Amino acid sequence: MRRSYPSDISREQFEEIRPILEDATKKTHPRRYDLYDIFCAVLYVIKEGCTWRAIPHDFPKWENVRYHYDIWAKPHFEDSKSIIDVAKECFVYITRENNDRNLETSMMIIDSKTIQNADTAHTKGYDAGKKKVE
């Protein structure tokens, strides 16, 4: 039994994306590790920004976690998303649905300084370090 980490998702949430993750590889022999633990280890690495070898020892071996990540992170068809992206979208969709929120983002923040400078950037400005060429 491993301890819980802040990056973990619940078993119920994982069961929603399990079929997507299982379909990524051929099942040629029984799994030695629970796919839930491997997925949570991938989430841990992504959230904490640590190296593969630095994942806690109560997760599966880092080589196995990295192996699955490489498979899940690669798009399997041209112009398609990776399984990690699909799983993330499913997770966001499920979370929004369970919290009675809109399924699509309803607000976007735009930096006001960027908007003010967008049209006139090529005509205005002064750089004191440059010499005037005549």
Side-chain angles (χ1 to χ4, degrees):
M1 186 76 173
R2 70 174 184 84
R3 61 179 279 213
S4 178
Y5 293 95
S7 59
D8 288 355
I9 61 174
S10 69
R11 288 269 182 186
E12 295 80 27
Q13 292 169 327
F14 180 73
E15 290 306 318
E16 297 287 333
I17 60 173
R18 177 187 288 276
I20 299 169
L21 299 175
E22 285 179 341
D23 288 345
T25 58
K26 291 187 275 184
K27 190 171 182 185
T28 56
H29 56 82
R31 295 187 195 279
R32 194 180 323 170
Y33 299 107
D34 184 10
L35 206 57
Y36 171 76
D37 289 335
I38 292 173
F39 189 73
C40 286
V42 168
L43 293 178
Y44 180 87
V45 170
I46 291 170
K47 183 176 187 303
E48 297 300 325
C50 67
T51 62
W52 292 106
R53 293 176 190 240
I55 63 174
H57 293 291
D58 51 351
F59 281 121
K61 290 182 180 179
W62 73 268
E63 294 96 338
N64 293 336
V65 175
R66 177 62 193 261
Y67 170 78
H68 282 84
Y69 173 80
D70 288 342
I71 291 170
W72 295 338
K74 182 182 354 173
H76 290 283
F77 303 105
E78 192 173 320
D79 298 331
S80 68
K81 297 180 181 180
S82 70
I83 293 173
I84 295 286
D85 293 336
V86 172
K88 178 183 159 196
E89 287 176 6
C90 290
F91 177 66
V92 168
Y93 179 83
I94 292 164
T95 304
R96 286 181 155 298
E97 190 175 59
N98 290 344
N99 293 329
D100 295 327
R101 295 176 61 190
N102 290 336
L103 299 180
E104 297 293 325
T105 304
S106 59
M107 186 169 95
M108 182 178 5
I109 298 173
I110 299 174
D111 183 6
S112 62
K113 292 293 180 185
T114 304
I115 298 300
Q116 286 176 356
N117 198 24
D119 292 335
T120 60
H122 63 281
T123 59
K124 291 184 180 178
Y126 173 74
D127 188 355
K130 292 187 179 180
K131 293 181 181 178
K132 187 175 180 181
V133 178
E134 292 184 33

